């Protein structure tokens, strides 16, 4: 059912350090402003969002720290059970 990662988001302390790190891993910068960057994991399919903060231990918020999976919608429509 899971076909890959759709997106993931992480807090980072310094975008100017984090962006080159992920680019060296093969990711491509898609968007950047002063406190946020999106890098393609697979261009047009999945990305990583980096949220700059002076504290990496920020209170939980779903936009800052989460992973979303790419799934096969037909498997849900066909009633396949989802493992929990």
């Amino acid at each position: 059912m899971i076909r890959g990662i759709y997106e993931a988001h992480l807090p980072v302390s310094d975008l100017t350090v984090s962006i080159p790190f992920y680019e060296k891993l093969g990711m491509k910068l898609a968007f950047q402003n002063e406190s946020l960057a999106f890098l393609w994991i697979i261009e047009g399919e999945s990305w990583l969002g980096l949220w700059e903060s002076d504290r990496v231990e920020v209170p939980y918020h779903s936009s800052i720290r989460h992973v979303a999976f790419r799934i096969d919608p037909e498997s849900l429509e066909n009633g396949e059970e989802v493992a929990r």
Side-chain angles (χ1 to χ4, degrees):
M1 180 182 301
I2 294 176
R3 300 293 181 216
I5 292 178
Y6 175 69
E7 65 181 11
H9 295 265
L10 298 171
V12 298
S13 60
D14 188 342
L15 284 176
T16 63
V17 173
S18 298
I19 291 169
F21 171 80
Y22 287 102
E23 287 177 324
K24 287 180 184 176
L25 295 177
M27 295 182 192
K28 180 180 176 185
L29 185 64
F31 170 83
Q32 179 182 359
N33 68 21
E34 58 191 40
S35 61
L36 169 66
F38 287 99
L39 294 104
W40 289 114
I41 298 169
I42 299 173
E43 192 165 352
E45 291 186 26
S46 60
W47 64 47
L48 173 66
L50 302 175
W51 301 75
E52 186 173 275
S53 173
D54 58 350
R55 290 183 24 197
V56 176
E57 294 180 17
V58 295
Y60 174 78
H61 189 279
S62 60
S63 66
I64 297 174
R65 190 176 289 139
H66 77 269
V67 175
F69 295 103
R70 181 176 305 282
I71 64 164
D72 179 6
E74 291 80 31
S75 61
L76 289 177
E77 293 169 6
N78 293 332
E80 291 181 24
E81 187 173 328
V82 178
R84 290 183 166 78

